[in-house]
Structure formats: structure tokens, C-alpha cells
Amino acid sequence: MLKISQTGKANHSVTLKLEGRVVGPLVGELRQVGETLLAEGRALKLDLADVTFVDSDGVAVLTGFKTRGVTLKDCSPFVDEQLKSTANG
């Protein structure tokens, strides 16, 4: 299960708080929400403090967002390692 909630609507900046597991069809939902906000010209931050696991599709989406200037904050050491190991090949 993945819960996505929007916090802080200061001007053009939006933070999405993710809770749970970024896996399976939920990755598509995250991609859609993020792409919509980016298309609106919003600065996007993803709060990953309560994410417990990210599958390979989720890692691809998160790293894709990161390369486009999205801030990934408060990753657990486990999720941070998942993102690093995939980025390094």
C-alpha cells in the first residue's frame, strides 16, 4: 500500500509525503501525480521518511524525478541504498 498526501502549498512548491511501499501499479499513480505537478510548473519535493520499500520500477521513477530537479528528502538508510545501488548500475 502507498499513501500519497500533499503538504505545504507555498507558492509554486509542493511536497508529496509518501507512506508505505512504492511498488507495482502504485508506481504509476506516483508518476502521474508527480508529472501533473511538474507540468503545472511546480517545484516538487518528495518526503520519503515513511517509505519502507521501493521496487525497481519505483526506483526508476524516483531517480527520473531526481534528475529533473525533484528533491527527495528524508530517505531511510535502506531506501537511500536502494536508490544508490540502482543509480550505480
Side-chain angles (χ1 to χ4, degrees):
M1 181 168 161
L2 176 66
K3 179 179 177 184
I4 303 172
S5 53
Q6 186 171 316
T7 62
K9 301 177 184 177
N11 281 342
H12 291 62
S13 181
V14 175
T15 299
L16 295 180
K17 180 167 180 55
L18 308 182
E19 300 173 72
R21 298 165 52 92
V22 183
V23 297
L26 302 171
V27 174
E29 183 179 341
L30 172 59
R31 179 185 292 121
Q32 182 179 8
V33 171
E35 291 292 345
T36 299
L37 292 168
L38 291 172
E40 293 173 357
R42 305 281 188 113
L44 182 58
K45 295 179 183 175
L46 299 179
D47 181 345
L48 305 176
D50 294 321
V51 171
T52 57
F53 183 79
V54 182
D55 70 9
S56 59
D57 290 336
V59 168
V61 168
L62 292 174
T63 55
F65 280 152
K66 188 173 181 179
T67 61
R68 293 171 61 196
V70 174
T71 302
L72 307 181
K73 66 179 203 164
D74 297 333
C75 290
S76 71
F78 178 69
V79 171
D80 190 46
E81 195 58 39
Q82 286 183 284
L83 295 171
K84 285 180 186 173
S85 64
T86 302
N88 294 332

